[in-house]
Amino acid sequence: MKSGLKSEVFEKFVKIAGGIINPSIENWRNNGGRVVGYTCSFVPEELFVAAGLTPFRIRGTGSDQSAGMADDYFEAANICSFVRHCFNKILLGEYNFLDGAVIGGGCDANRHIMDNWQKSPAKTPFLHRLLFPHSSGELMANYFCNQLADIKGKLEEHFDVQITDRKLWDAIKFCNEIRDLQKELYAFRKAENPPITGAETVPVIVAGYSMPKEEYSSDLKTLLDELRGVSAPDSKYRARLMIVGPGHDDSSMCDIVEDLGGLVVADLTCFGGKVIFGAIKENGTDPLQAIADYQILDRPFCPKNLGAHPHIHKEIFDKIHDFKVDGVIGQNFLCCETWGGELYILNKELKEAGIPMLRVEREYAADSTGQLTTRVQAFIETISGGAL
Amino acid sequence: MINVYSQLQMLAGKALGGLCLDPQNASPGPFVLGNGDFFIEIPVAYGCSYSDITLTGANGTAMPDASELIDKAIETGVESRMCTAIKVACYYLEAGLVRKPDLIITSNSCCDAMDTLGNLLNGYKPWADVPKFIMDAPHSFDEESYKYMGKQLRQAVTFMEDVFGRKMDWDRLREVCVLSNKQDQLLLEFQELKKAVPCPANPDLSRLGFAYDRWTGERVSPQITDWLEQLVCATEERVKAKLGIEGVNEKVRFLWQDLAGSWPPGTLWARLQQELGAIAIMDYMSYCTLTPIDLTSEETMFTSFGKRFLLEDPMNRQALHTTDFFCNDILQIVKDFKCDAVIMPAHIGHRDTNSRLKIVRDMCREKDIPCLVLGIDIWDKRYMPPDVVFDRISTFFQTTGLV
Ligand code: SF4
Ligand code: SF4
């Protein structure tokens, strides 16, 4: 199902999200701009923005089924395919445009991207790891604040920039504004007949981590204006669904759902709803502490974190209510233990609440969609009360 | 023939055999449950039982009905390729087979699977009323990190005191630490003796001693000190007499770079010793890097605990830190224990090890250390049966000219 959205700026987002290097990044670099890659949404973009750098979230977009070279580094049978495909792109040289990268200390597989990158032929000048605490609390937020200070110092030294408190507060404000715009985009989907589908939302969000921020912010404003003017046609979808799980940097799952007559109206995923949550406090004495508090105390949605479940639960149930969700698709990549465990708990809770859930374990790239399609179809039919 | 080693083995084996679903060091006090090894000195001094549900799951995989149990665990529906020990622990929990604790203490050490189990414990509905304390084990090892971890362990004690309405007896804690320091020293002494060629005693006694010391009902008791003293004494004699393991003609010494799991010691390792003269001189549960708990002040004591937690607990040492650190350990062990080869079991549940295989292989090639990567499930013999593993190791030793 398509919304019929016709928009130049939307097409631009689709192109950017559909690949890695893109004209906006090339243009930025040609004008002397520098780009720093990062993995995991716990690495705060605000730090890079304050340093005048463009942050670029590492993805494996465009991979086919094999992660080829990366499988030498990460054992294919036991390591999540998202990590393998991302690393394969690094080995293939598709991230050679980066001036540096910060690897988040997320799950066991993700944090080893750092070690393997260092030893690989891909020579990226600035490579650092940012350790995260894996539970939530004041002590942990302070720990994270120290880690941020450490990375800040390294960025200043390597890129010969000064990241002052003023610049950090400005970056916080600016990134909050972008999150607000993204939330506006999500809010359209609360409507009975949204002007934008789930599959169409994904590239708009992903582009935000893949191009210069100012340009993105301005393009997104244009798109939102366009959407405000659209009178959405009466769409005949059969169920309003929500996607929960890691990744979600492409629209493949939404495409399956929406081709079968469902509509994805919300998500809590590592590239989507988890990232655009809330806002960082814009005042206080220490901007790094404000960032740390947001990541560790306000936004503890990573199932790698102990004690994260009640937060995840609340966020999902709130969204089910706000977006009038009929059913949830919980998808995790094979070998992702943390999301696997989280979805296991969630499944039980949704069952108790009478909300249907489909559990899917899949590979990141070019999954054999046959079986998946059949399962999604059966799920939609169950929810909507029969075949079309 | 019953010699001192078989006697020691029997004693520890009996205590370890008693580890099951009941609190693993039962005492009349309250029962604390966690998803990893907590500080044994703390529950012992406080007079409470402590169980590590991961260990419970791991023990399940060694039961006679392990296959059935593992199949049931797979059916629970947690992530399909998760560590089998954790899957079994999840099954025990979900099937209502674990005794309800009075307090739950969880931490994210040492792997993603343990986190998952921790979250399952914290979110387990029937125990919603049980007080819970959560700790964060950072992936770093420096003084700051030890202090950070130490602070959390100190907070855990306060939490226990609040929940149970009884204060920690600090003198008793010191007393327990003194005893525990002495036992660790003895474990280190035995480890030193293992460096001799030929290896004087079954190296697996290190692992047994460590498990006996930390996990059984005898935790930090004079009985353990006695066991370890006998072990060291008997081994010193054998080193002086230049004797190797009884009945074994030592030809190859190798590092088993992982946990032993529930099956190699009794089956695979014994066969390798007997048939090939190949000795697993070191494994990752035996590797003892313990430094004494600094008893100068309460703060130094907890910082020492923090260090132990992050750096000296075998699983945390293996899983929490960088690949460089992991590789340095391999080189150090190979050098110190005169290993001829490295075997990487690469347990399928170990996402960390499975993300490092190329670096380890390349390093070994560069240093001329024969290295074999297996890819087994250290908890489920069906994944790659011991016979197959034996054949692969045997072929590896033959092709590298070691036997
Ligand atoms: S999908 Fe899971 S295993 Fe993969 S990077 Fe994300 S958290 Fe880690
Ligand atoms: S055996 Fe490995 S994967 Fe399993 S619980 Fe222990 S450290 Fe985690």
Side-chain angles (χ1 to χ4, degrees):
Chain A
M1 185 176 51
K2 297 270 175 287
S3 68
L5 181 63
K6 286 195 180 58
S7 153
E8 252 177 54
V9 76
F10 172 68
E11 291 308 326
K12 177 177 170 183
F13 287 147
V14 171
K15 280 211 183 80
I16 287 175
I20 294 176
I21 184 77
N22 58 67
S24 297
I25 289 287
E26 273 168 350
N27 196 25
W28 167 261
R29 284 183 52 81
N30 290 342
N31 287 311
R34 291 172 293 183
V35 186
V36 176
Y38 70 99
T39 64
C40 189
S41 66
F42 273 81
V43 178
E45 289 194 325
E46 287 78 3
L47 261 186
F48 307 118
V49 173
L53 306 163
T54 286
F56 192 104
R57 180 111 179 245
I58 291 173
R59 313 175 250 119
T61 311
S63 275
D64 58 16
Q65 264 164 331
S66 139
M69 293 155 83
D71 292 353
D72 268 358
Y73 292 81
F74 293 97
E75 175 56 49
N78 310 320
I79 301 295
C80 128
S81 47
F82 174 69
V83 164
R84 288 187 288 114
H85 283 283
C86 287
F87 194 62
N88 206 39
K89 292 280 171 187
I90 292 166
L91 293 175
L92 287 169
E94 293 190 35
Y95 282 103
N96 283 356
F97 65 91
L98 295 178
D99 297 286
V102 174
I103 307 303
C107 68
D108 288 342
N110 196 337
R111 81 192 147 87
H112 281 94
I113 290 179
M114 171 75 187
D115 303 36
N116 284 325
W117 197 335
Q118 275 177 326
K119 305 270 180 199
S120 79
K123 293 292 166 234
T124 306
F126 174 90
L127 271 185
H128 283 282
R129 116 178 45 233
L130 175 64
L131 296 176
F132 314 143
H134 292 298
S135 61
S136 187
E138 207 183 308
L139 200 61
M140 289 76 193
N142 293 343
Y143 173 88
F144 191 49
C145 185
N146 290 338
Q147 299 300 317
L148 291 178
D150 181 53
I151 283 286
K152 172 179 162 283
K154 286 178 173 138
L155 284 167
E156 287 179 322
E157 198 189 322
H158 180 85
F159 291 101
D160 195 20
V161 289
Q162 266 218 312
I163 308 178
T164 60
D165 280 5
R166 187 65 269 143
K167 286 183 186 169
L168 276 166
W169 286 121
D170 288 347
I172 288 172
K173 192 164 180 296
F174 177 55
C175 292
N176 276 344
E177 279 164 16
I178 293 183
R179 270 189 281 269
D180 284 345
L181 296 173
Q182 291 171 322
K183 273 178 229 150
E184 260 188 67
L185 179 79
Y186 267 55
F188 280 119
R189 298 155 77 200
K190 290 180 182 170
E192 190 64 28
N193 290 307
I196 186 163
T197 64
E200 288 162 345
T201 306
V202 176
V204 179
I205 297 296
V206 171
Y209 319 123
S210 320
M211 62 192 282
K213 289 276 164 200
E214 294 279 359
E215 187 182 337
Y216 176 70
S217 163
S218 144
D219 287 347
L220 183 53
K221 280 179 192 151
T222 308
L223 179 70
L224 292 174
D225 281 343
E226 289 173 359
L227 288 172
R228 272 182 219 109
V230 167
S231 55
D234 258 10
S235 42
K236 276 210 168 57
Y237 52 83
R238 300 164 64 195
R240 296 170 68 88
L241 299 172
M242 174 176 185
I243 293 181
V244 179
H248 206 52
D249 63 1
D250 68 27
S251 61
S252 56
M253 181 52 97
C254 291
D255 287 333
I256 294 174
V257 170
E258 293 176 350
D259 285 348
L260 290 166
L263 183 68
V264 176
V265 291
D267 72 273
L268 193 75
T269 58
C270 295
F271 275 79
K274 260 175 72 182
V275 192
I276 66 172
F277 173 84
I280 303 180
K281 281 191 195 74
E282 292 180 14
N283 45 42
T285 49
D286 180 358
L288 288 183
Q289 189 69 53
I291 297 173
D293 288 352
Y294 166 74
Q295 295 284 25
I296 305 303
L297 303 175
D298 303 343
R299 198 183 72 91
F301 295 140
C302 175
K304 164 79 186 163
N305 283 17
L306 278 174
H309 177 71
H311 303 271
I312 297 176
H313 172 101
K314 181 176 182 309
E315 192 59 18
I316 288 173
F317 276 78
D318 283 355
K319 284 206 154 119
I320 287 173
H321 176 261
D322 295 349
F323 289 80
K324 300 186 200 69
V325 169
D326 302 311
V328 172
I329 297 181
Q331 62 160 342
N332 66 277
F333 301 128
L334 277 160
C335 306
C336 176
E337 290 163 321
T338 52
W339 272 107
E342 175 53 41
L343 294 176
Y344 170 74
I345 303 175
L346 187 67
N347 200 8
K348 286 198 294 182
E349 291 175 347
L350 287 172
K351 203 183 255 174
E352 265 174 42
I355 299 159
M357 173 166 164
L358 174 70
R359 266 296 297 275
V360 175
E361 278 189 322
R362 58 182 282 243
E363 296 287 6
Y364 171 70
D367 215 4
S368 60
T369 45
Q371 203 202 6
L372 190 58
T373 305
T374 312
R375 293 189 62 208
V376 173
Q377 185 171 14
F379 183 60
I380 294 177
E381 278 170 10
T382 314
I383 295 176
S384 61
L388 257 188
Chain B
M1 189 182 78
I2 300 263
N3 61 20
V4 62
Y5 291 118
S6 347
Q7 276 168 355
L8 293 175
Q9 208 145 1
M10 244 161 22
L11 212 57
K14 212 169 129 207
L16 286 163
L19 297 181
C20 55
L21 288 166
D22 287 330
Q24 283 150 13
N25 64 340
S27 89
F31 170 37
V32 182
L33 182 68
N35 66 333
D37 203 10
F38 184 47
F39 257 82
I40 49 159
E41 291 81 0
I42 295 173
V44 170
Y46 193 75
C48 66
S49 312
Y50 179 78
S51 263
D52 165 0
I53 191 169
T54 305
L55 186 61
T56 307
N59 284 334
T61 67
M63 298 285 181
D65 61 344
S67 304
E68 204 183 309
L69 193 60
I70 295 170
D71 287 343
K72 279 187 194 154
I74 293 168
E75 280 162 24
T76 54
V78 281
E79 203 278 316
S80 59
R81 298 193 196 170
M82 187 160 76
C83 171
T84 304
I86 301 287
K87 265 194 216 140
V88 171
C90 293
Y91 165 72
Y92 279 143
L93 181 71
E94 295 295 323
L97 296 170
V98 184
R99 191 177 116 187
K100 185 174 177 180
D102 302 300
L103 170 63
I104 293 174
I105 297 185
T106 49
S107 84
N108 64 298
S109 75
C110 52
C111 60
D112 288 349
M114 298 269 253
D115 288 357
T116 301
L117 181 58
N119 276 330
L120 246 59
L121 268 181
N122 289 323
Y124 186 54
K125 277 265 172 68
W127 295 351
D129 59 332
V130 178
K132 296 173 183 86
F133 187 82
I134 296 175
M135 295 187 295
D136 167 47
H139 294 264
S140 50
F141 53 97
D142 50 24
E143 204 52 30
E144 274 314 299
S145 313
Y146 305 149
K147 283 191 179 143
Y148 172 67
M149 197 67 227
K151 265 188 205 152
Q152 295 177 69
L153 288 158
R154 180 65 187 85
Q155 286 175 352
V157 172
T158 308
F159 192 81
M160 278 169 73
E161 291 176 332
D162 290 347
V163 169
F164 300 131
R166 174 163 62 82
K167 291 282 174 204
M168 169 66 89
D169 178 344
W170 294 100
D171 291 335
R172 171 73 185 131
L173 182 58
R174 274 168 193 282
E175 211 176 274
V176 174
C177 289
V178 169
L179 200 55
S180 145
N181 277 347
K182 163 109 182 124
Q183 290 169 358
D184 297 340
Q185 183 53 37
L186 288 163
L187 272 172
L188 280 164
E189 281 174 31
F190 178 64
Q191 178 162 290
E192 271 307 296
L193 293 166
K194 276 173 34 176
K195 290 180 181 169
V197 180
C199 179
N202 199 333
D204 198 31
L205 284 155
S206 285
R207 193 180 59 86
L208 204 60
F210 182 84
Y212 186 28
D213 180 12
R214 272 163 172 71
W215 297 332
T216 68
E218 274 71 47
R219 286 179 170 205
V220 206
S221 68
Q223 190 179 339
I224 304 266
T225 316
D226 188 45
W227 190 95
L228 288 164
E229 274 169 348
Q230 284 192 57
L231 178 70
V232 170
C233 215
T235 310
E236 267 169 352
E237 293 300 317
R238 292 188 73 81
V239 172
K240 269 189 217 140
K242 296 195 175 13
L243 292 172
I245 305 167
E246 228 170 75
V248 174
N249 178 13
E250 180 177 314
K251 289 191 187 125
V252 184
R253 297 156 73 95
F254 67 88
L255 161 64
W256 178 270
Q257 181 57 23
D258 209 316
L259 311 181
S262 60
W263 59 269
T267 51
L268 178 73
W269 288 1
R271 216 181 136 197
L272 285 168
Q273 281 189 7
Q274 292 304 320
E275 294 181 33
L276 303 177
I279 295 165
I281 196 86
M282 185 57 74
D283 67 86
Y284 228 93
M285 190 52 85
S286 300
Y287 191 41
C288 181
T289 56
L290 295 163
T291 48
I293 301 163
D294 181 348
L295 298 170
T296 317
S297 67
E298 194 181 298
E299 199 192 327
T300 61
M301 211 152 103
F302 277 89
T303 304
S304 289
F305 287 156
K307 184 177 180 194
R308 287 193 160 199
F309 199 96
L310 296 179
L311 195 65
E312 296 168 358
D313 172 272
M315 291 224 298
N316 287 356
R317 188 177 177 96
Q318 173 178 345
L320 280 183
H321 306 300
T322 62
T323 304
D324 274 347
F325 179 76
F326 184 81
C327 285
N328 284 341
D329 266 354
I330 294 182
L331 291 180
Q332 196 63 49
I333 293 171
V334 165
K335 181 167 166 261
D336 290 350
F337 294 86
K338 301 174 195 75
C339 296
D340 305 297
V342 172
I343 294 182
M344 300 278 299
H347 168 45
I348 56 157
H350 282 159
R351 306 295 187 241
D352 56 309
T353 310
N354 279 288
S355 304
R356 304 171 152 153
L357 296 176
K358 178 168 167 34
I359 297 181
V360 173
R361 271 199 195 104
D362 288 354
M363 177 195 74
C364 286
R365 196 173 304 126
E366 202 180 292
K367 305 270 177 198
D368 237 352
I369 305 166
C371 173
L372 172 70
V373 176
L374 290 170
I376 62 171
D377 183 333
I378 57 171
W379 310 113
D380 188 351
K381 292 186 190 70
R382 297 170 300 177
Y383 191 84
M384 193 188 288
D387 282 355
V388 176
V389 178
F390 179 87
D391 288 346
R392 287 190 58 192
I393 295 178
S394 169
T395 309
F396 164 68
F397 285 155
Q398 279 163 28
T399 50
T400 47
L402 288 168
V403 294

